Amino acid sequence: MRGAAPTRRTAALAVVSLLALTATGCGSGAAADGGPGVLSSSWGDPQNPLEPANTNEVQGGKVLDMVFRGLKRYDPRTGAAKDMLAERIETEDSRTYAVTVKDGWTFSNGEKVTARSFVDAWNYGASLRNNQKCAYFFGYIDGYDQVHPESGKQTADTLSGLRVTGPRTFTVRLDQSFSGFPDTLGYAAFAPLPRAFFTDHAAWLKKPVGNGPYRVTSYVRGAQMSLRTWDAYPGPDKARNRGVDLKVYTDSNTAYTDLMSGNLDLADDIPAGQLTNVRSDLEGRYINVPAGILQTLAFPFYDGKWDKPGMEKVRTGLSMAIDRDQISRTIFRGTRTPATDWTSPVLGAAGGYRAGLCGDACRYDPKRAKALVEEGGGLPGGRLRLTYNADTGSHKAWVDAVCHSINNALDDDRACVADPVGTFADYRNQISQKKIAGPFRAGWQMDYPLIQNFLQPLYYTDASSNDGRWSSQEFDGLVDRANAATDRAASVKLFQRAEEVVRDQMAAIPLWYQNGSAGYSKRLSGVELNPFSVPVYDRIKVA
């Protein structure tokens, strides 16, 4: 399949880090200045206009989750994909799906939500002409290669695999079997769009119209976006407050100061320097919970030195040379958990997470680490250059700690050196142009809570997030079989077998699972972070 594009997770994580660690900030004023029942929350300007298929970073995603509802919605606590606008999604072969949309749903401008609301939105999102960041999410659907070819002009305007069959019914035909496809439909790119989006696009961009529990009432870039409760919202998850003012901050320390002084109600990125005192500062109003985010070290398999026979021992040895427990304690202070597989605990056992799957390969064992590196032929060129982007300031400490751990294990102070790249853009360019010669920092934030999303986009041959260009016929075959399996449990087992191939070859070194963190004021109750580390705004109550 066409793997998820690399910009989604890496850009999202970079945006989070930039908001947390750049040097200037703004945002102040009374926390309740939006009026009774309105809360204020830290935020950052979205990279792109809030078109559902054109938003691939965290800050814009927060707004889409408030303004739109799709066929599915991910449970804020469990992450399970549950029917929202979908009355039924039926299939006999895991390739052709018949969708029935619930009756009684409208957009906030009064337009009815119909089958065409989805089909038109998906065709728009997939079209090369519209240049949507998340177009690749429609890559499963028949006809994608005509509406979004890899090169040249598109030869069709609509996906041949989409067909409206009635006011509330449509069919989707995929280009391969994918039993997990319905569970992807809670992702924002699959949201419906009203006719107003197409008939007066410029006006819609200024004030997006959706079908969720909130409406956008105003937005001043660099300052604030205000959302207010839509009283006629027909869904079961009506907002428990009157609205949210999203205040722009470029420094999480400023947000924390405003939170402590009563000028902000909710900060969802606690600065590292406050982690030692945040619990006492906020008197228990601090959240630190697992999220579907995994940090890894990727390898440049396009460089023959890292892909020759025996190098799997070197890669495994390097994994065993990293003291994840100590780094998590001293650098991250409990906001990271040492990884023991290539997915995330938020999936749960039924979703594919298998604690300890990495086994000894992810346990700190300096003696065995050194022996494996030597057995595998040693470090290419005799030295390891660990590359990362330095502009956020959030990576240097842990990269230095990882190198220090490797150097200690290999008894060589010069075995591993940090190799910073000045900006995230330059870093991504070097990765895309295959210029990085050693391991490099990688991060993945799940798009949807499936084991498939942690494996196929990153390790399937030629998948577009497979930055290191690792390839395994055995892995690809198991993924194909897992996608085709109609039984969910059987599919998960096949994906786990594919994950074992990743482990045996150490296609990437898993480092730690990232937590979501937040602090809130005494005015609020019912504050939660979902498995994507985003506040569940509609559940928050304001005193």
Side-chain angles (χ1 to χ4, degrees), residues 130-208:
N130 297 323
N131 194 32
Q132 300 287 281
K133 296 287 187 182
C134 296
Y136 56 87
F137 275 95
F138 306 102
Y140 295 103
I141 302 173
D142 267 350
Y144 182 77
D145 52 349
Q146 279 81 50
V147 302
H148 203 111
E150 292 185 7
S151 61
K153 296 182 179 181
Q154 64 187 86
T155 57
D157 293 326
T158 58
L159 293 159
S160 60
L162 293 179
R163 187 164 66 94
V164 175
T165 56
R168 294 192 294 117
T169 58
F170 66 100
T171 58
V172 186
R173 179 164 176 82
L174 309 181
D175 63 1
Q176 67 174 82
S177 297
F178 181 18
S179 58
F181 178 70
D183 286 348
T184 72
L185 299 178
Y187 186 63
F190 294 104
L193 287 169
R195 290 307 307 161
F197 176 88
F198 304 97
T199 58
D200 195 346
H201 192 224
W204 190 96
L205 290 178
K206 291 179 180 178
K207 188 173 288 188

Side-chain angles (χ1 to χ4, degrees), residues 100 286 466:
T100 302
Y286 170 62
N466 187 350

Side-chain angles (χ1 to χ4, degrees), residues 299 301 315-316 319 342 358 361 502-510:
F299 290 95
F301 290 94
R315 297 189 296 270
T316 301
S319 176
W342 284 261
C358 187
V502 173
R503 174 198 63 197
D504 295 343
Q505 293 296 312
M506 196 53 69
I509 294 177

Side-chain angles (χ1 to χ4, degrees), residues 292-475:
I293 304 172
L294 176 69
Q295 298 284 346
T296 66
L297 290 182
F299 290 95
F301 290 94
Y302 48 77
D303 184 333
K305 294 190 294 293
W306 283 101
D307 200 25
K308 64 184 181 181
M311 287 304 294
E312 71 279 358
K313 291 185 177 180
V314 174
R315 297 189 296 270
T316 301
L318 290 172
S319 176
M320 298 175 75
I322 300 171
D323 193 342
R324 295 167 178 78
D325 289 330
Q326 184 182 49
I327 294 171
S328 295
R329 288 195 311 271
T330 59
I331 303 295
F332 297 119
R333 299 182 181 275
T335 60
R336 306 289 190 276
T337 304
T340 64
D341 86 322
W342 284 261
T343 66
S344 169
V346 302
L347 295 179
Y353 170 64
R354 202 163 113 197
L357 181 140
C358 187
D360 289 341
C362 286
R363 295 190 185 99
Y364 181 57
D365 187 341
K367 185 176 180 180
R368 182 60 179 151
K370 184 177 181 181
L372 281 172
V373 171
E374 292 174 351
E375 289 173 21
L379 300 176
R383 179 179 293 185
L384 195 72
R385 303 188 71 86
L386 204 167
T387 307
Y388 68 99
N389 59 296
D391 52 352
T392 69
S394 62
H395 304 306
K396 184 181 187 304
W398 72 258
V399 170
D400 287 344
V402 165
C403 271
H404 180 71
S405 184
I406 291 173
N407 290 343
N408 283 343
L410 301 185
D411 292 324
D412 182 353
D413 289 341
R414 295 174 59 81
C416 178
V417 296
D419 184 22
V421 176
T423 68
F424 181 72
D426 288 343
Y427 178 67
R428 288 303 310 170
N429 286 336
Q430 288 194 28
I431 290 173
S432 300
Q433 296 167 17
K434 303 179 183 179
K435 290 183 177 180
I436 294 180
F440 54 94
R441 180 196 72 81
W444 186 260
Q445 181 182 28
M446 67 180 183
D447 300 302
Y448 41 83
L450 291 180
I451 184 174
Q452 176 267 353
N453 188 239
F454 282 92
L455 297 177
Q456 187 166 356
L458 291 164
Y459 307 112
Y460 198 90
T461 301
D462 292 332
S464 58
S465 284
N466 187 350
D467 288 335
R469 299 299 185 262
W470 181 72
S471 180
S472 165
Q473 290 184 355
E474 182 181 7
F475 175 87

Side-chain angles (χ1 to χ4, degrees), residues 490-512:
S491 175
V492 166
K493 287 182 179 179
L494 286 166
F495 275 120
Q496 288 176 330
R497 285 178 58 188
E499 189 179 358
E500 291 172 0
V501 178
V502 173
R503 174 198 63 197
D504 295 343
Q505 293 296 312
M506 196 53 69
I509 294 177
L511 295 174
W512 31 74

